């Protein structure tokens, strides 16, 4: 008889359910194998409260406290795919809205360095602990209002924003390298468009993607 330890059992279950999630994302149109394999490598259940762990591999956003949510896996995959779709290597990336740290974990596996900014200190600390346990060390953590980006580490090859402003903050565009890409949800409550802004030598080019539903980007004092 082969005895499977309790942890192995949990590990097996979550690996299998995670694989089902990856199959689903593939069917929904995510094509970048680098992104799919980063999601496959990332245990989403450790980014939510234990009481919600059994739902962690459903393709839905879940509450993480403080009126915030962990993003839906499809949207995390799509935003990451759009960010990586330029051919350049992304050495320096800015993420605004750390939340649970799940999107940060995906980015950190795919780019050189991630600067992540969160306005709620408690969420940032919890995220930092999880990512540290995952042995992801190429991340710097900042408690701040990220509406105006993070000037001190600019320019960025990529900027990913996980909360929605009504219009694209100009500072974010100006903190991109030439060739850099900004992926951001833009619009009013529950009616936002995912937008890609690419910085070219002489201009910024905008492309619209899916409708999405993010929490608002809140500006002002943290
Ligand atoms: N991708 C994250 C989603 C987090 S929800 C995840 O998967 O967990 C969006 C986060 O943006 C929230 O934690 C919220 O506190 C944060 N946020 C909102 N406005 C912000 C701002 N101006 N600067 C930094 N973080 C902000």
């Amino acid at each position: 008889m082969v005895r499977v330890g309790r942890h192995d059992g949990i590990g097996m279950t979550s690996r299998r359910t995670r694989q089902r999630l990856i199959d689903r994302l593939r069917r929904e149109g995510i094509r970048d194998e680098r992104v799919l394999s980063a999601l496959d490598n990332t245990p989403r259940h450790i980014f939510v409260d234990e009481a919600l762990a059994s739902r962690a591999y459903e393709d839905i956003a879940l509450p993480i406290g403080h009126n915030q949510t962990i993003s839906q896996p499809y949207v995390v995959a799509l935003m990451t795919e759009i960010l990586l779709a330029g051919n350049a290597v992304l050495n320096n990336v800015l993420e605004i809205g750390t939340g649970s740290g799940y999107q940060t974990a995906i980015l950190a596996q795919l780019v050189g360095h991630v600067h992540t900014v969160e306005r709620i200190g408690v969420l940032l600390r919890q995220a930092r602990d999880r990512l540290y346990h995952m042995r992801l060390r190429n991340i710097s953590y900042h408690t701040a209002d990220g509406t105006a980006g993070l000037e001190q580490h600019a320019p960025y090859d990529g900027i990913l924003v996980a909360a929605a402003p009504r219009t694209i903050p100009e500072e974010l565009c100006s903190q991109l390298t030439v060739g850099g890409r900004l992926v951001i949800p833009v619009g009013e409550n529950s009616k936002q468009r995912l937008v890609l802004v690419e910085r070219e030598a002489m201009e910024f080019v905008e492309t619209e993607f899916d409708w999405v539903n993010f929490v608002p980007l809140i500006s002002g004092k943290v």
Side-chain angles (χ1 to χ4, degrees):
M1 190 175 79
V2 178
R3 293 189 65 129
V4 179
R6 184 161 176 270
H7 291 292
D8 290 348
I10 291 170
M12 289 296 287
T13 311
S14 80
R15 260 205 303 284
R16 221 179 293 127
T17 45
R18 217 181 296 168
Q19 189 54 54
R20 272 202 291 273
L21 172 63
I22 302 307
D23 293 343
R24 179 182 170 149
L25 296 177
R26 209 176 250 125
R27 281 199 304 280
E28 287 179 345
I30 303 299
R31 292 274 169 272
D32 191 325
E33 290 299 327
R34 295 169 297 178
V35 175
L36 290 166
S37 97
L39 269 94
D40 197 18
N41 282 334
T42 307
R44 189 168 181 254
H45 64 274
I46 70 167
F47 292 87
V48 295
D49 199 78
E50 238 174 287
L52 291 170
S54 65
R55 308 198 63 190
Y57 299 98
E58 295 176 28
D59 190 20
I60 50 174
L62 291 167
I64 53 171
H66 308 271
N67 279 330
Q68 307 302 327
T69 53
I70 180 171
S71 306
Q72 184 193 346
Y74 172 75
V75 176
V76 170
L78 179 65
M79 291 177 87
T80 313
E81 187 170 78
I82 296 169
L83 195 75
L84 294 182
N87 292 321
V89 177
L90 303 181
N91 290 314
N92 191 33
V93 169
L94 174 65
E95 178 193 35
I96 296 165
T98 317
S100 68
Y102 179 66
Q103 170 81 71
T104 322
I106 304 297
L107 286 173
Q109 294 171 62
L110 296 167
V111 308
H113 193 89
V114 183
H115 287 281
T116 190
V117 181
E118 169 59 56
R119 62 188 302 282
I120 301 175
V122 186
L123 289 179
L124 190 77
R125 281 193 291 282
Q126 287 171 347
R128 189 179 54 202
D129 290 347
R130 294 177 182 124
L131 296 165
Y132 192 81
H133 282 299
M134 283 185 71
R135 298 178 203 286
L136 293 167
R137 301 284 191 264
N138 56 335
I139 304 167
S140 308
Y141 300 87
H142 309 267
T143 307
D145 171 7
T147 308
L150 187 67
E151 182 67 49
Q152 67 263 41
H153 297 287
Y156 303 99
D157 308 307
I159 301 179
L160 191 154
V161 185
R166 292 191 173 177
T167 56
I168 300 174
E170 259 176 48
E171 292 91 338
L172 296 182
C173 299
S174 65
Q175 288 173 25
L176 287 172
T177 55
V178 173
R181 298 159 76 80
L182 162 66
V183 181
I184 183 167
V186 188
E188 303 290 327
N189 290 348
S190 72
K191 195 171 189 269
Q192 306 141 6
R193 206 70 196 243
L194 202 55
V195 177
L196 165 69
V197 180
E198 293 167 279
R199 182 172 197 167
E200 297 189 349
M202 304 297 285
E203 59 183 348
F204 293 95
V205 179
E206 283 185 27
T207 312
E208 289 189 341
F209 288 85
D210 302 22
W211 292 101
V212 286
N213 188 359
F214 276 86
V215 296
L217 187 75
I218 300 169
S219 53
K221 200 170 179 308
V222 182

